Amino acid sequence: MTIREERESLEKAVLSPRAAFSTGAGDRRIPEEACDIRTCFQRDIDRIVHSKSFRRLKHKTQVFLQPEGDHYRTRMTHTIEVARIARTISRALRLNEDLTEAIAFGHDLGHTPFGHAGERALAKICSTGFEHNEQSLRVVDILERDGRGLNLCAEVRDGILCHTGAKQPDTLEGKVVRMSDRIAYINHDVDDAIRAGILSEEDIPGEIVAVTGESYGERIDSIIKDVVFSSRDSDTIQMSSTMYFVMESFRDFMFERVYKNPVAKSEESKVEGMFSMIFDYYIKDPSKLPEDYISHLDRYSPERVICDYIAGMSDTYLVYTFNNLFIPGAWSVR
C-alpha cells in the first residue's frame, strides 16, 4: 500500500460521510498517474502554491490602493486568511481540509491588479465582461505553465469557480471557502480601515458588536463558531439566522463607510484610465505583447489575450507598464 493509499484509508476512518474523499475524486481534464505520496487534493495545493500567479498575489491590492504601511492586507494575505478560516471550519466539521485548502489558495488567482477597481475596469473594457472567479479558473486551466495549465481536480476547479457568484459549489468544502472568503474580507477590511483612520472601533454599530464582539479576534472567533455549530447537523454550510442578519448589516456598513468611501477610493478613478489606455495600446498592435502571450493569439482573440495579460499584472507592474508606454523618459544631451 502506498503512502497515498494509507492517507485515503485514513480519510474514510476520520472524515464525515458528508466530506469529499480523495478516493474516487481527482478527475482531471488530462488524465494523470496518481502520486505515491500525495492525495489528488494535496497535489493540487502544491501546484497552486508553486505557481507564478500565486506569487503575484503578494503585489496585488486587496482594498486600499498602494497603501503606505507594511501591515495592510494584500491579495496574498487575504488568501492565507481565507485558507486558515476555511481549514478551521472544515476540521471542526470533519471535512476534507486538503480540498478546502486547495480551493482557498486558488480562489483569487485571477484577480486583477488594484482589486475590485481593476475588476470593474476590465469588465467595462472586455466586450464579454470580466469576473475574477471565472478568470481564476482560466488561470489554472489555461494560463499557468506556459499555456498548459495546472490540470487541477474537478472538485478544486468547481470550488474556485463557485467561490462567488450565483452558482453554489458542489462540495461542502467549496461552500466552506465561499463562506470563509466573506468572513475574512469583511473583518480584515474593518481592521485595515481602522488602521487607515477611516473607521474607529466605536464606529461599528452596537447591534453588530453585541453579537460578534468588540475586537477583531472576537469577531472572527464568534462568526466561525456560529458557522460550525449551525452547520454541524446540516447538509450545507450556513450561519444562524441571527448571525446571517448581522453579517449582512456588517457588509452594508462596510459598503457605506469603506468600500464607497471617497477618501479610501479617491485614487480609483485613475485605475480605469490606466487599464483602458494599456488595453487600447495593445489592441492596436497585439504583436507588441510579450512572447508568451503572443503564442495564445492562435487560439484566442486579441481582446481575450490582452485582458489575460492585464489581469495577470501586479499593481506595481501595471504602473511600470503604463509609465513605460505613456510617460516620457528623461534624456540629456551628451
Side-chain angles (χ1 to χ4, degrees):
M1 179 180 287
T2 65
I3 294 173
R4 170 185 53 79
E5 289 169 333
E6 290 176 358
R7 174 65 188 178
E8 291 172 346
S9 296
L10 185 62
E11 287 182 356
K12 292 288 187 181
V14 173
L15 298 185
S16 164
R18 302 181 301 153
F21 296 98
S22 301
T23 306
D27 287 340
R28 302 183 188 276
R29 302 172 82 197
I30 302 173
E32 298 180 9
E33 289 291 328
C35 178
D36 289 339
I37 298 175
R38 298 167 295 168
T39 68
C40 55
F41 301 140
Q42 289 174 325
R43 207 174 187 182
D44 284 0
I45 294 170
D46 292 340
R47 290 182 180 186
I48 292 168
V49 170
H50 290 284
S51 69
K52 292 186 291 185
S53 52
F54 185 82
R55 293 196 293 275
R56 289 196 299 269
L57 294 177
K58 67 181 178 179
H59 295 302
K60 291 196 176 191
T61 289
Q62 174 59 27
V63 171
F64 297 97
L65 305 188
Q66 298 185 309
E68 294 183 358
D70 294 334
H71 300 126
Y72 291 93
R73 270 73 173 189
T74 65
R75 191 62 57 179
M76 171 72 82
T77 56
H78 162 74
T79 295
I80 294 170
E81 291 184 33
V82 171
R84 289 310 309 161
I85 292 171
R87 285 199 67 161
T88 297
I89 295 172
S90 284
R91 182 173 296 178
L93 296 175
R94 293 169 46 225
L95 300 177
N96 195 314
E97 293 179 56
D98 292 327
L99 173 56
T100 300
E101 188 169 55
I103 295 168
F105 279 154
H107 81 281
D108 269 355
L109 292 181
H111 229 302
T112 62
F114 296 112
H116 288 286
E119 184 175 19
R120 289 190 293 270
L122 270 188
K124 291 181 179 179
I125 291 170
C126 296
S127 62
T128 56
F130 184 92
E131 299 286 346
H132 78 269
N133 57 317
E134 296 174 357
Q135 187 68 14
S136 293
L137 186 62
R138 185 171 172 82
V139 167
V140 300
D141 279 354
I142 297 170
L143 300 180
E144 270 293 337
R145 297 200 299 191
D146 301 320
R148 291 175 289 131
L150 300 181
N151 199 32
L152 302 182
C153 300
E155 295 84 354
V156 177
R157 295 175 64 251
D158 168 77
I160 289 173
L161 177 64
C162 300
H163 82 269
T164 189
K167 187 179 183 299
Q168 289 286 330
D170 291 334
T171 64
L172 289 181
E173 289 82 359
K175 290 180 171 67
V176 166
V177 174
R178 184 180 172 105
M179 181 79 75
S180 300
D181 187 31
R182 175 170 287 200
I183 295 171
Y185 79 68
I186 288 177
N187 282 282
H188 65 49
D189 291 352
V190 169
D191 190 48
D192 279 353
I194 291 171
R195 180 172 293 106
I198 294 171
L199 292 177
S200 68
E201 290 282 1
E202 292 71 29
D203 291 326
I204 301 173
E207 61 269 23
I208 295 175
V209 173
V211 174
T212 64
E214 295 184 357
S215 70
Y216 172 75
E218 289 174 346
R219 287 191 291 269
I220 292 284
D221 184 66
S222 62
I223 296 168
I224 288 175
K225 287 178 178 177
D226 183 273
V227 171
V228 169
F229 292 125
S230 298
S231 305
R232 188 164 51 176
D233 299 317
S234 172
D235 291 329
T236 190
I237 304 301
Q238 61 189 9
M239 296 177 175
S240 66
S241 57
T242 298
M243 186 61 76
Y244 178 81
F245 175 79
V246 166
M247 284 292 286
E248 288 297 298
S249 298
F250 210 164
R251 189 170 182 270
D252 292 342
F253 168 76
M254 289 298 293
F255 267 95
E256 178 184 350
R257 296 294 301 273
V258 177
Y259 301 143
K260 296 183 178 180
N261 183 288
V263 175
K265 300 301 177 182
S266 59
E267 297 297 297
E268 285 193 357
S269 60
K270 300 175 184 178
V271 171
E272 185 174 337
M274 293 173 65
F275 275 57
S276 181
M277 290 176 68
I278 293 172
F279 179 86
D280 289 343
Y281 175 85
Y282 285 112
I283 202 71
K284 290 176 181 176
D285 189 356
S287 67
K288 293 181 179 179
L289 284 164
E291 186 59 39
D292 50 344
Y293 283 89
I294 289 177
S295 64
H296 291 182
L297 293 171
D298 292 339
R299 291 187 292 166
Y300 307 105
S301 70
E303 179 184 12
R304 177 69 264 173
V305 174
I306 294 165
C307 283
D308 288 339
Y309 179 45
I310 295 175
M313 293 180 180
S314 64
D315 294 14
T316 50
Y317 187 70
L318 185 133
V319 172
Y320 166 82
T321 300
F322 181 86
N323 288 339
N324 189 51
L325 295 179
F326 302 111
I327 305 300
W331 63 279
S332 62
V333 177
R334 294 182 183 273

